[in-house]
Amino acid sequence: MASGVSPTVNRAVNVVVSLGAAVVIFGAMAKILHLSWADWALKIGLTTEALIFIIYAILPPPDMGAPTVVADSGNPALKSIEQHVSHIQIHHPEFLIDNNLVHTIKDWETLREQLQTNTNVKAFTGRAISNGMLSTATQTRGISIMAIDPITEAKTTGLDQNILEGNYLEEGTKNQVLIGRSLAQKLKLQIGSRLVVTFQNTEGDLVSSAFRVGGIFQTANLLLDEKNIYILQSCLALYTGQQTLVNEVALLLYDAEQVNSESEALQANFPNLQVRTWANISPELAYIQDMGSQMLIMIMAIILLALAFGLVNTMLMTVYERVYELGMLMAIGMNRIRVFLMITLETLFLTFVGALAGMALGYITILILGRRGIDLAPVGGDAMLQYGYPSVVYPMIDWSCS
């Protein structure tokens, strides 16, 4: 919990929320069964829920702790795209096959100038990537070495915001390395732990160097956190003899809808390079996103169908309870058409009032949950992180779609 809010208070709030919801459900059931205490149960339950929403709005958001990963938007897949894949990646074609340092982007300077002047590009970074081995006193593990420019990498992927322990990379620090939390746990590494990294330089020779853990990070993808380690490009240059060594360029756009058009334009301007979008790089994310959208549509259709049946049931019960009233209206001259129109207007009024009240309540709920977040870890633990989905999401309303 956040500072000033004890776990006992949080537990008490959760209990009251559950009890209030139970009272509302019992009250609705009693109303359907025409029990005498239905009105009081509904009043008590709805009042309790209203008070709970007020309490949740006042309480500060919980402190999720260092290991928690959050998504800042309603679409969790975007977080994994931003932190790892980026909207577009550019490589030497041979690098995608061999993954060797020698397959560099020769037109890096020209490409960088064009990206800097492109108004659609939000941020970009160039990396040198090499496969290697990470060795500790007791274990050895295959890893991918990412030599980065700390400033552009932070702007593109926000890696500096995912540091759990230690410090982010800075120019001037020597032989510092960033490793993922899951990798650190498996290799029993801490801040300041010594390790040896072995990789193949551009001449084809094996190079080994000692590093110290300067920072431990966690992103929205545990699989990549266990695979990737980060060092400075200037540090890699000491072992390769080349100051400018870029195998991969990752870039973010202001508008994700322009990914295809921008990738086609870059491919046309640099035909000797391989330009790929995030959907080409990580098709499983695209599949999960499409499947999630279809599932959401199906769930909404089921909910709306259930609401329609509920509304019909409410109106039928209203008609049955007003048989004598309707008979009296017809006795004093109201014909069947007017009775039908009256009930129809009442139904429309109930529908519109319920819709407006539901949208208002939904807006308030999103505001509250957008501030506090929805923690999915109790349901699936860290399983979602294996697929690049954060365990805590913050819903939001995209007004651009309206």
Side-chain angles (χ1 to χ4, degrees):
M1 293 294 295
S3 57
V5 180
S6 66
T8 304
V9 174
N10 183 56
R11 173 67 176 171
V13 171
N14 291 335
V15 170
V16 176
V17 169
S18 301
L19 292 177
V23 173
V24 172
I25 294 174
F26 278 119
M29 181 181 67
K31 190 70 175 177
I32 295 175
L33 297 177
H34 303 284
L35 299 179
S36 58
W37 48 272
D39 291 337
W40 283 105
L42 278 175
K43 291 177 182 178
I44 295 173
L46 291 175
T47 303
T48 303
E49 291 297 319
L51 292 176
I52 292 304
F53 278 117
I54 296 175
I55 293 174
Y56 266 115
I58 296 175
L59 289 177
D63 182 7
M64 297 299 179
T68 303
V69 178
V70 289
D72 297 329
S73 65
N75 190 344
L78 297 180
K79 182 58 63 174
S80 183
I81 293 172
E82 293 172 357
Q83 290 183 349
H84 286 287
V85 183
S86 301
H87 289 146
I88 298 175
Q89 286 188 9
I90 305 174
H91 303 88
H92 188 289
E94 293 296 327
F95 179 79
L96 299 176
I97 301 173
D98 191 18
N99 199 16
N100 195 303
L101 275 176
V102 298
H103 303 307
T104 60
I105 298 177
K106 305 298 183 182
D107 301 328
W108 165 235
E109 294 297 333
T110 304
L111 176 60
R112 179 167 60 180
E113 292 177 1
Q114 180 168 327
L115 293 178
Q116 287 175 341
T117 57
N118 191 332
T119 56
N120 295 323
V121 176
K122 181 179 180 180
F124 69 93
T125 185
R127 309 175 182 126
I129 304 176
S130 176
N131 291 330
M133 298 295 294
L134 186 152
S135 303
T136 66
T138 58
Q139 300 183 58
T140 301
R141 191 179 184 91
I143 44 91
S144 181
I145 305 167
M146 315 282 286
I148 62 172
D149 179 335
I151 297 177
T152 58
E153 187 73 28
K155 293 179 179 179
T156 306
T157 63
L159 181 60
D160 59 326
Q161 302 298 318
N162 294 316
I163 301 298
L164 304 180
E165 301 177 42
N167 300 308
Y168 185 59
L169 294 176
E170 295 181 359
E171 291 293 349
T173 57
K174 186 177 179 181
N175 286 20
Q176 295 288 318
V177 62
L178 298 180
I179 63 173
R181 180 175 70 97
S182 54
L183 180 61
Q185 290 176 344
K186 290 185 176 182
L187 298 182
K188 297 179 174 58
L189 296 174
Q190 310 176 37
I191 298 299
S193 296
R194 189 172 182 272
L195 51 88
V196 176
V197 176
T198 303
F199 63 96
Q200 192 177 33
N201 63 15
T202 53
E203 302 297 328
D205 300 325
L206 290 178
V207 177
S208 296
S209 179
F211 288 81
R212 289 193 179 275
V213 178
I216 297 176
F217 66 89
Q218 178 177 314
T219 66
N221 195 313
L222 287 183
L223 294 178
L224 292 180
D225 287 356
E226 292 183 11
K227 176 184 177 184
N228 297 338
I229 67 170
Y230 294 87
I231 65 174
L232 292 172
Q233 284 183 337
S234 57
C235 182
L236 181 66
L238 298 176
Y239 306 101
T240 61
Q242 300 183 33
Q243 293 295 328
T244 304
L245 193 63
V246 176
N247 303 111
E248 176 181 281
V249 177
L251 59 116
L252 285 179
L253 303 179
Y254 285 104
D255 185 4
E257 299 296 330
Q258 298 181 349
V259 165
N260 291 329
S261 59
E262 285 296 325
S263 63
E264 292 173 359
L266 288 170
Q267 188 66 77
N269 293 335
F270 299 92
N272 295 328
L273 301 177
Q274 184 69 42
V275 181
R276 300 186 299 167
T277 66
W278 69 268
N280 302 131
I281 300 168
S282 184
E284 67 276 4
L285 277 180
Y287 173 75
I288 292 175
Q289 186 175 10
D290 292 340
M291 184 180 67
S293 300
Q294 295 175 7
M295 290 289 292
L296 180 61
I297 294 174
M298 294 175 60
I299 293 173
M300 289 300 298
I302 294 173
I303 292 175
L304 292 176
L305 183 62
L307 289 176
F309 277 109
L311 184 61
V312 170
N313 179 70
T314 301
M315 296 312 301
L316 286 175
M317 295 301 298
T318 302
V319 172
Y320 288 147
E321 291 179 351
R322 297 168 61 189
V323 171
Y324 296 107
E325 176 189 345
L326 297 177
M328 182 186 67
L329 291 175
M330 295 181 69
I332 62 176
M334 181 177 286
N335 57 32
R336 292 177 180 271
I337 295 178
R338 289 188 175 183
V339 172
F340 175 77
L341 290 176
M342 181 186 71
I343 296 175
T344 302
L345 289 175
E346 290 178 358
T347 305
L348 292 176
F349 178 78
L350 180 62
T351 301
F352 284 117
V353 171
L356 293 175
M359 287 189 290
L361 184 60
Y363 178 73
I364 295 173
T365 303
I366 290 177
L367 287 181
I368 296 173
L369 294 179
R371 184 168 177 262
R372 299 181 60 84
I374 303 175
D375 188 2
L376 303 177
V379 180
D382 288 339
M384 297 183 67
L385 295 176
Q386 301 290 343
Y387 300 95
Y389 271 63
S391 58
V392 178
V393 295
Y394 289 100
M396 60 177 292
I397 299 176
D398 186 2
W399 295 105
S400 63
C401 297
S402 58

